[in-house]
Amino acid sequence: MVPWRSSRTQGSSSGSTPGSMGPSSPPSDTSALSSGDDSGSDFEATARPCGKRGRQQGPDQSHVRKCPRMTEPNGGCSSASTVNPEPNTLFEAIKSAKIAMETVVVDWLETYKRDRETGFLELINFIVCSCGCQGVVTPQMFRDLQNSEIIQQLTEQFKEDSSEYPLSLNTRPWRRFRDGFCELLTAVVQRCQYSIIYDEFLMGSLISFLISLTDSQVRAFRHTSTLAAMKVMSALVKVALGVSVQQENNLRQYEAERSKGPGRRATEKLEALMVKRRELREQQEEIENMMNAIFKGVFVHRYRDVVPDIRAICMEELGTWMKTYAASFLTDSYLKYIGWTLYDKQGEVRLQCVKALQGLYGHRDTAANMELFTRRFKTRMVSMVLDKELSVAVEVVKLLTLMLENMGEALTDEDCQSVYPIVFVANRPLAAAAGIFLYRRLLDPQQGAGMDASYDRDNRAFFQVLLTFFIEIELHEHAAYLVDSLWDCAGPRLRDWETISALLLEESPAEGLGDQQEKALVEILAASVVQATEGQPPVGREPAKKPSSRERKAQMEERIRLTHCLIPALPKLLGKFSADADKAAPLLEVLCCFDLSIYCTGRLEKYLVLVLEQLEEVVQKHTEQTVLEAASRALHALCDPELALQRHGDRVRSRLADQLADKFNQEVTEMLQALSLDDEEAYSMAATLKRISILFNAHDLTRWQLFDPCTQLLQRAVDTGEVPPQVLVPTITCLYFHILWEVSSLPTTDVPEEQLQSLKTKVITTCSLSHSCLSDVDSGVREQVHRDLEGWEEMEPALMAGPSLCSQAFRVLSDLLLVLGPQLAEDGREELAPLVLRPDAELQSQLAAFLMDHVFYPTCNQEELLATENSESRIEELHQRRVLLAGFCKLIIYGVLELSAASDVFKHYTKFYSDYGDIIKETLSLTRQIDRQEWARTLLLSLQQLMTELLHQEGPNFRMTEAFPDIRDLARRFSLFFSLHKLRSRPLLVNIHKEGILFAFQKIPGLEPELPPLNLPFLEVLSEFSPWVLGPDKALLLTYLDKVTQEQLGVLAPGDTGQWQSLVTYRNSLQPQDGGGTGASSRGAAPTPHPTKRRRLEAPPQAPDSSPRPSTHPSSPALTSTMLRGDPRPPQLSPRLLLSGSILSSPQQQLHDPAVQSGPPPEGVGRGGARGRAERRRGGRGGQGLPLGRL
């Protein structure tokens, strides 16, 4: 038997990975390893040679082979592969997961005890099989070959049909196998911890083999063996801890026995304790040698492996060692590896480092030993709260919370300031973790006294600190996000409705709140009420999971409790803050969250009357959009027909409507009789109409007969232009809601003819007036009126806000066309056919022109938008324009407008991608499902329109302008819609090419016959669709191209061949690839590069970065199929040769012609395989494709 401390293990020099280790300890010359030097290569070029390993001395009994081995005829060692080898017993047991792990380990131990070489080889072959290798280590190989030679043979026999192996697979069976693999190795060490691991064979041979296997170039070997070595190390750490505990117990017993008097002292017991003590010391040394060999032979080299999974395994297990056996591993010599790896480029590796640190900072005793590490790496840990991987950032915030709890003053105020703003981020897990940190640091008044928060019955201190933080953070419009972040940790405090209402109602100047504090507390109150009753995060954060029945019951109970608490306080709060719109609006939102039936069941009718009085006063006082909308929603809830006390709400609504209607009728009469409208009258009328229009949104006010006065007012504006837009916008809105309420009140059957004709007349009148406001109102008159009312903004800024007159008219028209579209007379409602609106050609052109003037006009890019001082108003303006575009797109999707009208939208896809890319892409996808043929024609029409516009603007030389590559880029993006379902797209692509060829060769009167057609460069645009054309169709299109060329141009005389470069490019794009293959129709193939794209790659020599406008194109890989490196000059070909096709007819000749293909395609272009497919898939990405109904 070879002892552990023998020469079987060859030491490795500094900076090299161990090659082969037998069942012995490192030799005496291990200065490089013991010094802790961890330099060296992560990925060796070749397996390092190692010394001859001594012959294994087995037991006297013969070896029991588990399966026959194929030996070589000459008696040498057998190959790593065998003929029909039996499946590995351990591997099959772990893979099936049908046998208890204890049974598997016991059976293996029985085999090992009978013949340790056979048992050891079974364990080794289990590890090899777990790597995905079909090779087998035979007894002959084990006796005669070094570990490196064995692994070399296994590598040669490794059938690497794919890059997958058991540990790389993420399906459920293989995840279960990974867990079983780790559990088996741990169980083997634990079962052998008392005797077998000290037999100087098992652990030494296993560690030696694993160290050699981790040095392999094969990723499967390196990954699997590293995991095995780390799990063996973790098991050994637990064994070492147990031996250490036994040593302490032994020492305590020995000291206790020695302390006895001479007469009571047992000499035999002292000798036995001394023998046990020496035995435990030897075991401890033996285990430490094993752990030292694994750490320096595996961890030191693999913690910086090129594979992130391997690095993550090392960091995860290192954290386990430190937490399990802190006395040995919680030192700076081990902590430095975690600190260095915090800078790893892969998020999963950083995540394991942070989790390892959480286990150390989570306990005060281990955290006390982290002071030096904290000083060295605290800056890095604090900066990681902004990690690009959200999962890492979440764990970092949790780590800082643990440091806050267990390390006292380790984090300074400046460090904490970096974490506080995280409570407002969109990711809810990250915001909730930051909320816990904020609560522990600032908001928990009992943390110093060590008391539970439930004992604090007065939360005044909590709210005082919370308000101070909310005001100083200067994000006052995000109270809902702050409440949602704190809800998990401070929910009971935030639901203390009595304390909140008492704070708001305090009148004492010494103890009361300031104006900013009152406003902030009202917002927090409203957000808390919504969170408690609805349980959903605010807009912008991912929606919460569907609540369970228990959660719904808890929400209902909380709704009842807050209703009982706030019903008496709400009238007082509205009475105190009714004059302040910023405070009144949130309080009215609170009313909508009440269980309103309690007003009746709790006999609280008097409080309902008081609330309605305050609501009526708020409507009469304010003209702000938010407060009026909140009041309208609250009144709508109180007017619910199912509510027992609904009569009180109806009475207030009728009184408000009577007052507003009488005032409006009187003002309209005076205006129609007067020659001019002064400022005060215009302001009063605008305020009245704004209140009416907002109430009209939620309440049916048709019985007050406001339609005729509104039409008279609007007609006066169309005729004279003297009415300001601030009056006309709510007027159009009132007409729109009046029609909608009448349509909704129509009976399902037997509609009276008179009612139908009256409604039709109103619809026609409204559409006519809106159309006039959209186009006929003279802009000069409106500008003059606006200048006359410049003082309005000082009088009432709320009346100056909102959409413009033409924008509101466009919205009303688009919504009426959609509501009263063709679907109105379907589903058994054919008698409503007279109400269907069908836009004429003039209206369609006006709508399209409005888009060009008010939606598709140049704006600043995203960076400039954020840099401008007025960025908030610009963002709001962008939102309004997106709403207008979405309204127009819905008309196309629902069949109100012809599909060809979408060309006015599609042609701006790339130019305005950053602003409207998601809307246009969703429209492209939905319209394709309506009529694929017409959709393809619309795409082609969009490109033709852009080409015609460019020709008119730039003249015949437009091909050299900067706008022409943009058209090609748009065509490329359109072509990506044909990349999937190539068979379904086959006729569409053929039609696009045929119609595009006819457009390119279209004759223009007055053009000299020998010159190329003016639209000929359109062929370059058309070539962007060629990669998705199937091979047979390419041949047909080439024939069709030759035919059209002959018919349109005839025989041309030789001339300037550079003028025909577009034709050269297009013909090249239709040439079959790889000797007649289908080109891009195969997923693995890439489009043929086109020479003319070289012009796009080259910047003008005099101004390389002289683009006149910022690029608004989306950031996507350069996937254009016509990019080439090399000489950008086009081949000089004769037009006569072009027409005959004698040069371009042979694809093989073109592929090898240096004039056509002068260099390899750039990286990512013209590549096959998975990378090329992935890049082509990314090329068509254009946003998230939001449903138009939500825009």
Side-chain angles (χ1 to χ4, degrees):
M1 183 179 298
V2 180
W4 166 254
R5 294 178 178 83
S6 67
S7 60
R8 291 188 56 196
T9 303
Q10 181 181 1
S12 61
S13 61
S14 175
S16 63
T17 308
S20 173
M21 281 189 88
S24 61
S25 65
S28 59
D29 185 15
T30 58
S31 59
L33 291 178
S34 61
S35 64
D37 185 8
D38 53 6
S39 62
S41 174
D42 302 331
F43 195 77
E44 276 64 16
T46 58
R48 288 185 170 82
C50 56
K52 183 70 175 178
R53 184 175 58 185
R55 176 177 293 275
Q56 298 287 338
Q57 300 293 333
D60 296 337
Q61 66 268 26
S62 60
H63 301 293
V64 180
R65 301 183 184 275
K66 293 183 66 63
C67 57
R69 310 294 185 189
M70 296 297 296
T71 58
E72 297 181 1
N74 57 4
C77 61
S78 63
S79 171
S81 61
T82 61
V83 178
N84 297 325
E86 294 182 3
N88 186 274
T89 307
L90 294 177
F91 183 84
E92 294 300 327
I94 299 302
K95 183 179 178 182
S96 63
K98 296 180 180 179
I99 306 176
M101 187 61 64
E102 187 70 18
T103 304
V104 175
V105 175
V106 170
D107 292 344
W108 177 83
L109 281 176
E110 292 296 329
T111 303
Y112 182 82
K113 290 177 181 178
R114 289 196 305 268
D115 186 345
R116 66 181 187 180
E117 183 176 297
T118 302
F120 175 74
L121 289 179
E122 184 178 0
L123 182 62
I124 290 298
N125 286 319
F126 162 69
I127 296 175
V128 173
C129 191
S130 300
C131 297
C133 179
Q134 301 298 324
V136 176
V137 181
T138 64
Q140 192 72 25
M141 295 168 59
F142 179 70
R143 297 189 190 102
D144 298 341
L145 299 180
Q146 294 291 323
N147 284 335
S148 60
E149 296 171 345
I150 294 175
I151 295 171
Q152 184 176 359
Q153 289 197 18
L154 292 175
T155 303
E156 293 172 356
Q157 300 297 329
F158 199 103
K159 296 181 179 180
E160 195 173 358
D161 298 332
S162 68
S163 60
E164 295 180 345
Y165 52 95
L167 293 188
S168 68
L169 300 174
N170 200 30
T171 57
R172 180 176 296 179
W174 291 111
R175 290 199 303 267
R176 187 170 59 242
F177 172 82
R178 178 191 175 108
D179 297 337
F181 177 85
C182 300
E183 185 180 355
L184 174 66
L185 294 174
T186 303
V188 166
V189 176
Q190 290 177 349
R191 292 283 299 190
C192 301
Q193 63 178 318
Y194 299 108
S195 60
I196 297 180
I197 63 172
Y198 307 110
D199 66 355
E200 299 181 347
F201 176 78
L202 174 64
M203 295 307 300
S205 300
L206 178 61
I207 293 172
S208 173
F209 184 78
L210 290 177
I211 290 176
S212 300
L213 203 58
T214 57
D215 196 29
S216 173
Q217 293 188 30
V218 180
R219 172 178 175 173
F221 282 156
R222 210 165 62 252
H223 188 182
T224 308
S225 60
T226 301
L227 177 62
M230 295 296 101
K231 290 300 178 181
V232 170
M233 177 76 168
S234 298
L236 288 175
V237 169
K238 294 181 180 178
V239 174
L241 178 62
V243 173
S244 177
V245 172
Q246 293 181 26
Q247 283 183 315
E248 293 177 359
N249 294 336
N250 177 271
L251 180 61
R252 187 168 54 253
Q253 293 174 5
Y254 180 80
E255 294 296 336
E257 192 66 27
R258 281 187 57 186
S259 62
K260 294 180 180 179
R264 300 176 57 190
R265 185 182 305 167
T267 308
E268 295 82 1
K269 186 175 181 181
L270 283 175
E271 292 178 355
L273 289 174
M274 287 295 295
V275 172
K276 182 66 174 178
R277 184 177 179 182
R278 286 193 296 269
E279 180 183 350
L280 291 174
R281 187 182 298 113
E282 291 176 357
Q283 291 180 358
Q284 186 75 17
E285 293 177 357
E286 199 76 16
I287 295 174
E288 288 179 355
N289 287 336
M290 298 177 193
M291 294 190 300
N292 187 57
I294 295 177
F295 184 81
K296 295 180 178 178
V298 179
F299 180 88
V300 168
H301 298 278
R302 298 280 73 82
Y303 88 95
R304 51 185 180 170
D305 196 277
V306 296
V307 179
D309 292 340
I310 297 178
R311 304 198 299 271
I313 290 172
C314 294
M315 291 299 108
E316 180 182 6
E317 297 305 319
L318 179 59
T320 302
W321 307 339
M322 293 179 177
K323 186 177 179 181
T324 303
Y325 196 4
S328 180
F329 287 94
L330 191 58
T331 61
D332 296 333
S333 59
Y334 293 98
L335 284 170
K336 64 182 181 181
Y337 295 105
I338 294 182
W340 294 341
T341 317
L342 286 174
Y343 296 88
D344 196 282
K345 293 182 179 180
Q346 296 297 325
E348 57 182 311
V349 183
R350 299 194 301 273
L351 180 63
Q352 293 302 329
C353 292
V354 174
K355 288 185 175 180
L357 291 175
Q358 287 178 357
L360 302 178
Y361 282 104
H363 303 278
R364 291 186 179 273
D365 52 350
T366 55
N369 299 323
M370 304 285 290
E371 294 182 0
L372 181 60
F373 178 87
T374 304
R375 290 198 300 268
R376 171 64 179 82
F377 294 102
K378 183 183 70 172
T379 304
R380 171 58 181 167
M381 290 188 288
V382 172
S383 66
M384 289 178 68
V385 298
L386 301 177
D387 196 282
K388 65 179 181 179
E389 299 292 340
L390 293 177
S391 59
V392 178
V394 171
E395 298 301 326
V396 169
V397 175
K398 293 180 180 179
L399 171 62
L400 296 179
T401 305
L402 294 174
M403 293 175 61
L404 192 66
E405 295 174 350
N406 297 319
M407 289 201 68
E409 302 298 328
L411 296 177
T412 63
D413 292 339
E414 183 179 357
D415 298 331
C416 297
Q417 291 293 336
S418 302
V419 185
Y420 294 156
I422 307 298
V423 297
F424 298 102
V425 299
N427 183 265
R428 194 180 189 279
L430 179 57
I436 296 175
F437 181 89
L438 174 65
Y439 181 72
R440 295 284 187 271
R441 176 71 178 184
L442 290 180
L443 305 179
D444 189 1
Q446 302 298 331
Q447 66 176 9
M451 297 174 58
D452 191 353
S454 60
Y455 293 103
D456 183 21
R457 306 308 302 172
D458 189 359
N459 286 329
R460 291 173 178 267
F462 168 78
F463 285 109
Q464 290 284 358
V465 178
L466 179 61
L467 292 176
T468 302
F469 167 78
F470 187 48
I471 293 173
E472 292 180 353
I473 204 71
E474 296 181 353
L475 292 173
H476 303 160
E477 297 180 0
H478 298 77
Y481 294 89
L482 178 61
V483 169
D484 183 56
S485 301
L486 294 172
W487 196 254
D488 295 338
C489 58
R493 294 184 181 275
L494 292 171
R495 292 192 294 269
D496 189 358
W497 317 117
E498 296 88 349
T499 300
I500 297 177
S501 57
L503 283 172
L504 290 172
L505 292 175
E506 282 182 353
E507 299 292 346
S508 173
E511 300 180 1
L513 303 176
D515 181 68
Q516 277 189 322
Q517 291 177 318
E518 288 177 342
K519 178 183 175 183
L521 187 55
V522 167
E523 293 177 359
I524 291 174
L525 169 64
S528 300
V529 169
V530 173
Q531 188 80 16
T533 56
E534 298 181 1
Q536 294 294 327
V539 178
R541 286 186 177 169
E542 59 270 22
K545 296 180 180 179
K546 186 177 180 181
S548 61
S549 58
R550 179 178 298 180
E551 292 173 342
R552 288 194 298 269
K553 181 180 179 181
Q555 291 175 5
M556 183 59 63
E557 293 175 353
E558 187 61 34
R559 181 190 295 267
I560 295 173
R561 189 179 76 86
L562 72 89
T563 303
H564 280 289
C565 292
L566 295 179
I567 277 181
L570 187 59
K572 300 177 183 178
L573 293 173
L574 285 174
K576 181 178 180 180
F577 302 119
S578 61
D580 192 337
D582 294 333
K583 301 172 186 175
L587 291 174
L588 292 172
E589 295 289 350
V590 169
L591 179 61
C592 297
C593 298
F594 282 179
D595 184 358
L596 299 177
S597 61
I598 295 179
Y599 277 111
C600 179
T601 58
R603 298 185 178 183
L604 302 173
E605 186 176 352
K606 61 178 182 179
Y607 294 110
L608 177 61
V609 174
L610 294 175
V611 165
L612 287 172
E613 291 177 357
Q614 295 297 331
L615 190 149
E616 184 177 2
E617 183 179 352
V618 167
V619 174
Q620 294 173 350
K621 284 182 178 179
H622 297 282
T623 57
E624 287 84 355
Q625 186 87 8
T626 55
V627 67
L628 289 177
E629 289 177 351
S632 178
R633 287 191 294 268
L635 185 59
H636 179 267
L638 294 173
C639 294
D640 187 358
E642 298 181 0
L643 193 62
L645 300 177
Q646 175 249 356
R647 63 183 185 278
H648 295 287
D650 281 343
R651 187 183 305 114
V652 173
R653 178 173 61 185
S654 299
R655 186 161 59 245
L656 276 174
D658 289 338
Q659 295 173 358
L660 294 174
D662 293 342
K663 186 176 181 181
F664 173 63
N665 288 324
Q666 181 181 358
E667 291 173 343
V668 170
T669 302
E670 294 176 356
M671 187 209 68
L672 294 177
Q673 295 176 355
L675 298 178
S676 62
L677 189 67
D678 58 16
D679 294 353
E680 185 176 353
E681 294 174 349
Y683 167 77
S684 177
M685 182 177 292
T688 303
L689 278 170
K690 189 168 187 179
R691 296 186 180 100
I692 293 175
S693 64
I694 293 176
L695 287 175
F696 225 149
N697 189 7
H699 306 271
D700 185 4
L701 304 182
T702 53
R703 59 193 177 101
W704 277 269
Q705 301 297 325
L706 299 174
F707 187 86
D708 290 338
C710 289
T711 55
Q712 295 175 5
L713 181 61
L714 204 55
Q715 188 65 48
R716 170 71 178 269
V718 171
D719 295 339
T720 63
E722 296 178 353
V723 183
Q726 288 73 21
V727 175
L728 299 180
V729 170
T731 303
I732 297 179
T733 306
C734 290
L735 294 177
Y736 168 69
F737 285 128
H738 189 101
I739 292 176
L740 291 187
W741 280 111
E742 287 204 9
V743 170
S744 64
S745 63
L746 290 175
T748 55
T749 57
D750 300 331
V751 182
E753 185 67 23
E754 296 180 358
Q755 183 179 1
L756 200 61
Q757 290 298 327
S758 174
L759 180 57
K760 181 179 180 181
T761 302
K762 294 178 180 178
V763 169
I764 295 175
T765 302
T766 302
C767 291
S768 176
L769 291 174
S770 299
H771 191 189
S772 301
C773 293
L774 186 67
S775 58
D776 294 342
V777 176
D778 182 67
S779 61
V781 175
R782 285 184 286 144
E783 291 178 0
Q784 180 63 35
V785 173
H786 184 70
R787 285 193 296 268
D788 293 340
L789 299 179
E790 284 180 350
W792 277 38
E793 190 168 358
E794 288 75 13
M795 296 170 57
E796 190 63 46
L799 294 179
M800 302 298 296
S804 62
L805 174 61
C806 55
S807 298
Q808 188 67 14
F810 181 87
R811 292 184 186 181
V812 169
L813 280 173
S814 59
D815 286 350
L816 286 179
L817 289 173
L818 185 63
V819 173
L820 304 178
Q823 74 281 356
L824 180 66
E826 298 176 357
D827 300 331
R829 307 194 70 183
E830 289 77 7
E831 55 188 63
L832 299 182
L835 294 179
V836 174
L837 283 178
R838 294 179 175 83
D840 53 12
E842 181 184 359
L843 180 57
Q844 292 188 33
S845 62
Q846 287 290 338
L847 293 176
F850 178 86
L851 284 183
M852 296 300 299
D853 296 338
H854 296 83
V855 176
F856 295 115
Y857 62 88
T859 58
C860 59
N861 57 21
Q862 198 72 12
E863 291 75 11
E864 294 178 353
L865 182 64
L866 297 176
T868 55
E869 296 181 357
N870 202 18
S871 59
E872 187 172 343
S873 62
R874 288 182 176 271
I875 292 174
E876 179 63 25
E877 180 185 356
L878 175 61
H879 172 70
Q880 298 295 336
R881 288 189 276 116
R882 287 172 58 87
V883 171
L884 297 176
L885 177 61
F888 185 83
C889 292
K890 284 188 286 186
L891 295 179
I892 300 171
I893 294 171
Y894 288 97
V896 179
L897 299 179
E898 296 179 356
L899 195 55
S900 59
S903 63
D904 294 318
V905 177
F906 294 165
K907 65 184 180 181
H908 299 99
Y909 183 37
T910 57
K911 186 176 182 180
F912 292 91
Y913 184 87
S914 60
D915 294 338
Y916 319 117
D918 53 342
I919 300 177
I920 301 177
K921 184 179 180 180
E922 185 70 11
T923 306
L924 282 165
S925 301
L926 294 177
T927 52
R928 178 173 54 179
Q929 303 173 12
I930 300 174
D931 187 343
R932 298 178 67 88
Q933 288 285 353
E934 187 63 26
W935 172 77
R937 294 192 189 96
T938 305
L939 296 185
L940 183 63
L941 178 61
S942 303
L943 298 172
Q944 292 173 350
Q945 290 176 352
L946 289 176
M947 180 68 71
T948 304
E949 293 173 3
L950 187 60
L951 177 62
H952 290 165
Q953 294 174 3
E954 303 294 340
N957 295 326
F958 65 90
R959 184 173 173 272
M960 308 304 297
T961 61
E962 295 181 354
F964 184 71
D966 294 338
I967 300 178
R968 292 196 62 174
D969 186 53
L970 177 61
R972 179 184 64 82
R973 290 188 174 274
F974 284 165
S975 70
L976 294 176
F977 285 91
F978 300 94
S979 58
L980 300 177
H981 309 293
K982 297 183 180 62
L983 292 179
R984 294 181 60 187
S985 303
R986 184 176 182 179
L988 307 181
L989 288 169
V990 172
N991 290 338
I992 286 178
H993 279 272
K994 287 185 176 181
E995 295 180 13
I997 290 172
L998 293 178
F999 176 78
F1001 287 97
Q1002 185 177 5
K1003 293 182 179 179
I1004 297 179
L1007 186 66
E1008 299 181 6
E1010 63 274 8
L1011 294 178
L1014 292 180
N1015 293 335
L1016 188 66
F1018 189 75
L1019 293 177
E1020 296 186 39
V1021 178
L1022 207 60
S1023 66
E1024 300 292 345
F1025 294 90
S1026 300
W1028 314 113
V1029 180
L1030 299 181
D1033 295 337
K1034 287 186 177 181
L1036 294 177
L1037 289 175
L1038 280 173
T1039 304
Y1040 182 77
L1041 176 64
D1042 293 339
K1043 178 182 177 182
V1044 173
T1045 305
Q1046 293 287 351
E1047 291 178 355
Q1048 298 292 335
L1049 303 179
V1051 180
L1052 300 180
D1056 184 7
T1057 56
Q1059 298 177 347
W1060 299 90
Q1061 180 59 39
S1062 300
L1063 183 57
V1064 176
T1065 301
Y1066 183 60
R1067 290 189 66 93
N1068 287 341
S1069 70
L1070 293 177
Q1071 296 295 336
Q1073 298 181 6
D1074 298 331
T1078 59
S1081 61
S1082 175
R1083 286 192 68 178
T1088 302
H1090 299 267
T1092 53
K1093 269 295 202 203
R1094 292 178 233 156
R1095 308 181 69 90
R1096 297 180 61 185
L1097 292 178
E1098 283 196 340
Q1102 67 276 11
D1105 296 319
S1106 57
S1107 178
R1109 54 176 172 80
S1111 175
T1112 59
H1113 295 182
S1115 57
S1116 59
L1119 301 179
T1120 307
S1121 60
T1122 56
M1123 297 177 65
L1124 269 183
R1125 292 176 180 168
D1127 188 4
R1129 293 173 296 178
Q1132 301 296 320
L1133 301 177
S1134 170
R1136 193 179 298 276
L1137 294 177
L1138 288 173
L1139 297 177
S1140 63
S1142 59
I1143 291 181
L1144 301 180
S1145 58
S1146 174
Q1148 291 83 2
Q1149 182 177 0
Q1150 288 300 307
L1151 289 175
H1152 299 286
D1153 189 352
V1156 177
Q1157 182 171 349
S1158 57
E1163 183 179 359
V1165 180
R1167 289 177 178 261
R1171 179 176 181 182
R1173 293 194 297 270
E1175 289 182 346
R1176 284 192 292 274
R1177 286 195 296 268
R1178 290 196 300 267
R1181 182 174 58 196
Q1184 298 298 323
L1186 298 175
L1188 293 175
R1190 297 184 180 182
L1191 299 175

